[in-house]
């Protein structure tokens, strides 16, 4: 190497020794070793073994100039050197030129060449690291733009590949049930052109083909810069020459290289739910001793099961059935929102405690996803409103006047307020009448802070091939209140103005009250059972003053008939109802049951039935001849085996 350079070497002599022939030059070996972690990277010369050792860290590439040098007596043999002396001006420093020639740094005598040293690595020295990967998406877009500053080891990396993986539910009508599929895509490839630049600016579109929400795991794969230096056998498997971000880090050192899992939001309103019907539903709870019959049984009312037709997942995973509400008093709901929000009220037939006069998210006990504010209704969102342009026409001599329909525009504007009306001057020329153009603008949509949605998980019924959701509503201490559900599909992870679908109103449904049956057993009296029924009921009916009726009977099982059909009433059991004053927390029914034999010696069960009491007047040819008839509707029935 030329002397005087930052890593100058001692001169390596090739001249043969005094006893050697002139053609026996002294060769030497050049050895390149790993210099990673060494504080002193200067080359080392071993004169005994004639080995020149150069240290180079991993993934480093060094261009080293080298040249030959001359001995002083050999310099006199060079004619070029004599030409230099003859042509040199008087003020030239000949001693300096001579030293350059002896050191091998005079380009006219010993021109230098370049030796490229490469410490090739099989894989990049570290995986790529995402900083803050963010998907940018707009309404209606089927793609998301990924933006981030990705850190790589540029000296050992030639390119970065970004890949995506996700899984999602699909509900194809041609298949008997929904199924989960996996998807993957190669998002982009970024070249690392500058080995000194470790930061890559990522701004690339990931095309999905639809607007659905997805939870996507993005992986970055870095490829070694030294592919051409590796044997062909290693190149057969891409994993030998790449490093990928880590899905599950094993330590804190690996956390910067995690493959991020990103929520790509839904970019369009879901489809409206295909509502079929709403039916009452109940949840049963039993409290039993370690062994023996239950001590209490509770039927929780207030549940409604909503059945819907396929398909589901129009906005992607996590789509739930939402009940749209106005979180204020019902009487304060604006007229334009009343057809689109859930409401409830007292059944006018029964005199009972009124319902709550307002809805809140807390009234929906089974909701799993909620959102208060930030919602807009597609039904009340103005479409592309037309801004009227009324031209001011200057009268010119026109052989055929422009028809009125061509010069005056009366657009239909729906819910677009305070729109500016522009009146440009339009000149009608003789050659051709000019028709005023109507530019389109999107009216501003402002979310309503009091509009909320309570989302409920949906389940698939493989027998019916239908979807359903169970909604639990606490409408207050009222007896069988009416509820009108305003149902939407709700995608929690969505862009603004894309969370909910159009509203579908369900038929009126009633919420059944809770009922609790408590049993008491006395070990000293195995034939006796105390029973009480608690729950909310009405005070009286608008048609008659008689309260509801609860019937209790004891049944036994016939051994010669299958179990479900073999239960028959037994006349040997004694039932003694207690006198109840329905005030405060008093039970609806209470009493003592005496069995024919001790419990356990014969199968018994207690059957409880509750009937409403109301009166109606059958149709008759003449109303005067009609007679008021009492009737009852079963509102609770339960059987408890003793």
């Amino acid at each position: 190497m030329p002397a005087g350079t930052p890593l100058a070497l001692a001169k390596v002599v090739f001249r043969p020794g005094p006893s050697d022939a002139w053609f026996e030059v002294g060769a030497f070996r050049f050895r390149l070793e790993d210099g990673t972690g060494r504080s002193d990277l200067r080359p080392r010369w071993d004169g005994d073994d004639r080995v020149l050792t150069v240290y180079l860290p991993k993934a480093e590439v060094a261009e080293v100039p080298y040249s030959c040098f001359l001995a002083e007596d050999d310099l006199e043999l060079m004619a070029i050197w004599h030409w230099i002396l003859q042509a040199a001006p008087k003020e030239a420093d000949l001693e300096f030129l001579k030293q350059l020639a002896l050191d091998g740094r005079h380009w006219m005598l010993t021109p230098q060449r370049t030796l490229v040293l490469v410490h090739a690595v099989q894989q990049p020295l570290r995986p790529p690291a995402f900083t803050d990967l963010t998907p940018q998406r707009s309404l209606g877009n089927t793609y998301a733009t990924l933006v981030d500053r990705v850190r790589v080891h540029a000296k050992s990396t030639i390119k970065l590949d970004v890949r995506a993986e996700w899984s999602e539910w699909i509900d194809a009508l041609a298949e008997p049930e929904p199924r989960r599929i996996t998807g993957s895509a190669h998002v982009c490839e970024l070249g690392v052109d500058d080995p000194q630049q470790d930061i890559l600016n990522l701004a690339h579109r990931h095309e999905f083909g639809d607007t659905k929400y997805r939870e996507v795991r993005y992986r970055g794969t870095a490829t070694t810069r030294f592919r051409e230096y590796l044997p062909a056998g290693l190149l057969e498997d891409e994993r030998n020459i790449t490093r990928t971000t880590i899905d599950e880090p094993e330590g804190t050192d690996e956390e910067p290289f995690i493959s991020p899992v990103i929520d790509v939001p839904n970019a369009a309103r879901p489809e409206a739910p295909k509502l079929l019907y709403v039916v009452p539903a109940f949840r049963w709870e039993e409290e039993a001793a370690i062994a023996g019959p239950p001590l209490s049984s509770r039927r929780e009312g207030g549940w409604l099961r909503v059945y819907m037709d396929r398909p589901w997942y129009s906005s992607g995973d996590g789509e739930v059935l939402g009940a749209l509400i106005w979180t204020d008093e019902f009487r304060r709901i604006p007229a334009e929102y009343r057809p689109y929000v859930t409401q409830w009220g007292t059944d006018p037939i029964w005199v009972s405690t009124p319902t709550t006069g307002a809805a809140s998210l807390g009234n929906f006990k089974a909701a799993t996803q909620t959102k208060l504010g930030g919602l807009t209704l597609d039904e009340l969102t103005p479409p592309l409103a037309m801004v009227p342009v009324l031209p001011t026409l200057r009268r010119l001599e026109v052989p055929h006047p422009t028809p009125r329909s061509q010069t005056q525009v009366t657009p239909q504007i729906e819910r677009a307020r305070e729109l500016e009306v522009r009146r440009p001057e339009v000149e009608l020329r003789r050659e051709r009448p000019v028709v005023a153009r109507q530019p389109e603008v999107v009216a501003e949509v402002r979310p309503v802070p009091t509009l909320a949605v309570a989302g409920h998980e949906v389940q698939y019924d493989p027998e019916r091939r239908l979807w359903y959701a169970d909604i639990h509503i606490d409408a207050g201490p009222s007896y069988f209140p009416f509820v009108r559900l305003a149902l939407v599909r709700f995608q929690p992870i969505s862009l603004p103005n894309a969370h909910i679908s159009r509203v579908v109103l369900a038929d009126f449904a009633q919420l059944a009250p809770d009922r609790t049956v408590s049993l008491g057993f006395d070990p000293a009296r195995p034939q006796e059972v105390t029973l009480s029924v608690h729950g909310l009921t009405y005070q009286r009916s608008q048609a008659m003053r008689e309260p509801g009726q609860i019937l209790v009977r004891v049944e036994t099982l016939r051994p010669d008939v299958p179990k479900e059909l073999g239960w028959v009433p037994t006349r040997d059991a004694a039932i003694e109802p207690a006198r109840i004053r329905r005030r405060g927390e008093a039970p609806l029914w209470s009493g003592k049951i005496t069995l024919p034999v001790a419990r356990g010696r014969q199968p018994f069960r207690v059957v409880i039935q509750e009937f409403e009491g109301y009166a109606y007047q059958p149709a008759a040819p003449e109303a005067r001849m009609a007679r008021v008839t009492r009737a009852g509707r079963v509102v609770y029935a339960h059987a408890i085996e003793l």
Side-chain angles (χ1 to χ4, degrees):
M1 297 180 183
T5 57
L7 296 178
L9 297 177
K11 299 175 182 178
V12 180
V13 180
F14 291 88
R15 176 180 296 178
S19 60
D20 297 329
W22 63 269
F23 53 84
E24 293 181 355
V25 297
F28 75 99
R29 288 186 298 128
F30 188 92
R31 182 167 60 195
L32 184 63
E33 290 189 0
D34 184 14
T36 304
R38 290 180 61 93
S39 58
D40 186 6
L41 296 177
R42 291 180 297 179
R44 182 169 55 86
W45 167 251
D46 185 353
D48 297 335
D49 295 334
R50 298 186 64 81
V51 177
L52 177 62
T53 303
V54 179
Y55 300 97
L56 193 65
K58 293 179 179 179
E60 292 287 345
V61 178
E63 295 184 356
V64 181
Y66 69 95
S67 62
C68 298
F69 69 94
L70 299 171
E72 187 172 357
D73 53 348
D74 293 332
L75 182 61
E76 297 299 330
L77 301 176
M78 305 295 293
I80 296 179
W81 172 246
H82 292 284
W83 295 344
I84 294 174
L85 295 178
Q86 294 174 6
K90 296 181 180 180
E91 62 274 11
D93 189 350
L94 297 180
E95 289 297 326
F96 176 73
L97 293 177
K98 182 178 180 180
Q99 189 61 44
L100 287 179
L102 295 177
D103 291 339
R105 292 192 294 161
H106 199 299
W107 66 272
M108 298 180 69
L109 296 171
T110 54
Q112 70 178 20
R113 297 186 180 183
T114 301
L115 176 65
V116 180
L117 304 179
V118 179
H119 190 162
V121 291
Q122 181 177 326
Q123 295 176 322
L125 294 185
R126 64 169 179 262
F130 292 98
T131 305
D132 184 18
L133 186 61
T134 304
Q136 297 180 355
R137 205 173 196 186
S138 301
L139 280 176
N141 285 351
T142 60
Y143 61 86
T145 302
L146 303 179
V147 178
D148 196 7
R149 290 169 58 84
V150 187
R151 183 177 297 274
V152 298
H153 190 270
K155 290 184 178 181
S156 61
T157 303
I158 189 62
K159 68 173 183 175
L160 171 69
D161 291 279
V162 180
R163 294 180 173 86
E165 291 184 1
W166 66 91
S167 63
E168 59 183 327
W169 284 100
I170 61 169
D171 188 17
L173 296 180
E175 299 179 0
E177 60 184 13
R179 60 186 175 93
R180 195 161 188 84
I181 63 172
T182 58
S184 61
H186 180 269
V187 180
C188 65
E189 177 184 300
L190 301 178
V192 185
D193 300 326
D194 187 358
Q196 306 300 324
Q197 182 57 260
D198 288 342
I199 300 298
L200 299 180
N201 292 319
L202 173 64
H204 196 86
R205 287 185 178 183
H206 180 187
E207 179 63 56
F208 292 97
D210 55 46
T211 58
K212 293 181 179 181
Y213 155 76
R214 288 177 177 87
E215 183 184 67
V216 185
R217 180 182 291 275
Y218 289 97
R219 293 186 176 91
T221 301
T223 303
T224 179
R225 184 178 288 274
F226 307 101
R227 183 188 182 103
E228 63 271 22
Y229 299 98
L230 303 177
L234 287 177
L235 304 181
E236 295 177 357
D237 189 350
E238 188 184 42
R239 293 174 296 181
N240 293 332
I241 60 173
T242 59
R243 293 193 70 177
T244 305
T245 51
I246 303 168
D247 292 350
E248 298 181 1
E250 297 180 356
T252 57
D253 296 341
E254 297 181 348
E255 289 182 358
F257 310 110
I258 294 177
S259 303
V261 179
I262 305 298
D263 288 330
V264 179
N266 168 54
R269 290 187 184 272
E271 298 178 2
K274 298 181 179 180
L275 177 64
L276 296 179
Y277 47 87
V278 180
V279 295
F282 309 97
R283 187 171 72 175
W284 297 86
E285 299 175 352
E286 287 190 351
E287 179 184 353
I290 299 177
L295 301 178
S296 66
S297 176
R298 179 172 180 262
R299 186 199 73 177
E300 185 180 48
W303 289 86
L304 296 175
R305 175 162 291 187
V306 181
Y307 279 96
M308 297 156 292
D309 203 355
R310 302 173 66 188
W312 198 253
Y313 303 113
S314 65
S315 61
D317 285 11
E319 186 178 83
V320 295
L321 181 67
L324 200 63
I325 62 173
W326 184 274
T327 56
D328 199 353
E329 296 182 10
F330 292 140
R331 60 186 179 87
R332 295 183 179 180
I333 300 177
E336 62 269 24
Y337 282 92
R338 288 179 183 173
Y340 306 112
V341 294
T342 299
Q343 300 181 65
W344 53 68
T346 305
D347 187 345
I349 295 179
W350 314 109
V351 177
S352 66
T353 307
T355 59
T356 57
S360 68
L361 293 175
N363 295 122
F364 293 84
K365 304 298 184 180
T368 57
Q369 297 284 347
T370 60
K371 183 174 178 59
L372 174 61
L375 300 174
T376 59
L377 294 180
D378 190 44
E379 293 85 348
L380 301 182
T381 300
L384 294 178
M386 305 295 293
V387 179
V389 180
L390 304 179
T392 301
L393 305 179
R394 292 184 295 175
R395 293 186 177 275
L396 300 176
E397 296 181 4
V398 181
H400 301 284
T402 304
R404 182 179 181 87
S405 61
Q406 292 182 335
T407 58
Q408 294 187 3
V409 181
T410 307
Q412 298 293 329
I413 304 177
E414 184 178 1
R415 301 183 183 89
R417 302 177 180 177
E418 301 180 1
L419 296 177
E420 181 182 359
V421 178
R422 296 181 286 109
R423 297 178 179 271
E425 292 186 358
V426 178
E427 181 178 355
L428 300 181
R429 301 182 182 274
R430 291 179 179 270
E431 296 84 358
R432 181 180 178 183
V434 177
V435 181
R437 298 182 59 188
Q438 303 173 358
E440 295 181 350
V441 297
V442 178
E444 182 181 4
V445 181
R446 296 182 179 179
V448 182
T450 52
L451 199 62
V453 61
H456 300 77
E457 295 288 343
V458 295
Q459 303 291 332
Y460 184 72
D461 188 338
E463 295 182 0
R464 289 185 171 91
R465 293 194 176 185
L466 298 176
W467 290 93
Y468 68 90
D470 292 328
I471 301 177
H472 186 202
I473 302 175
D474 181 10
S478 184
Y479 182 76
F480 271 103
F482 277 101
V483 176
R484 189 201 64 182
L485 291 171
L487 300 173
V488 295
R489 293 198 200 211
F490 172 39
Q491 177 54 259
I493 306 178
S494 297
L495 297 176
N497 298 327
H499 286 91
I500 58 176
S501 67
R502 296 181 71 89
V503 179
V504 175
L505 291 179
D507 292 335
F508 285 96
Q510 288 186 284
L511 303 177
D514 296 349
R515 288 291 180 266
T516 302
V517 177
S518 299
L519 300 174
F521 305 99
D522 187 354
R525 299 178 179 179
Q527 291 182 245
E528 294 185 0
V529 179
T530 59
L531 183 144
S532 61
V533 181
H534 295 260
L536 176 70
T537 187
Y538 58 94
Q539 300 171 7
R540 61 183 178 85
S541 171
Q542 294 288 3
M544 58 188 301
R545 294 184 176 272
E546 294 182 3
Q549 185 180 16
I550 294 180
L551 301 180
V552 178
R553 69 175 182 270
V554 178
E555 294 181 348
T556 186
L557 184 63
R558 291 179 52 181
D560 57 336
V561 181
K563 184 174 181 180
E564 295 299 327
L565 303 177
W567 290 103
V568 293
T570 176
R571 299 180 181 180
D572 298 332
I575 301 176
E576 302 177 15
R579 186 176 181 182
I580 298 175
R581 295 181 179 180
R582 296 193 175 182
R583 295 179 181 177
E585 298 296 330
L588 302 179
W589 190 93
S590 179
K592 183 178 67 173
I593 302 174
T594 303
L595 302 175
V597 296
R599 290 183 296 107
R601 297 180 59 184
Q602 183 178 344
F604 292 103
R605 74 175 184 180
V606 178
V607 178
I608 306 105
Q609 291 179 302
E610 180 183 358
F611 297 87
E612 292 175 338
Y614 61 92
Y616 70 99
Q617 194 171 35
E622 295 181 5
R624 295 180 181 179
M625 298 177 60
R627 183 175 58 183
V628 176
T629 304
R630 291 184 176 88
R633 179 181 67 166
V634 178
V635 294
Y636 175 69
H638 190 32
I640 303 176
E641 295 188 21
L642 302 178

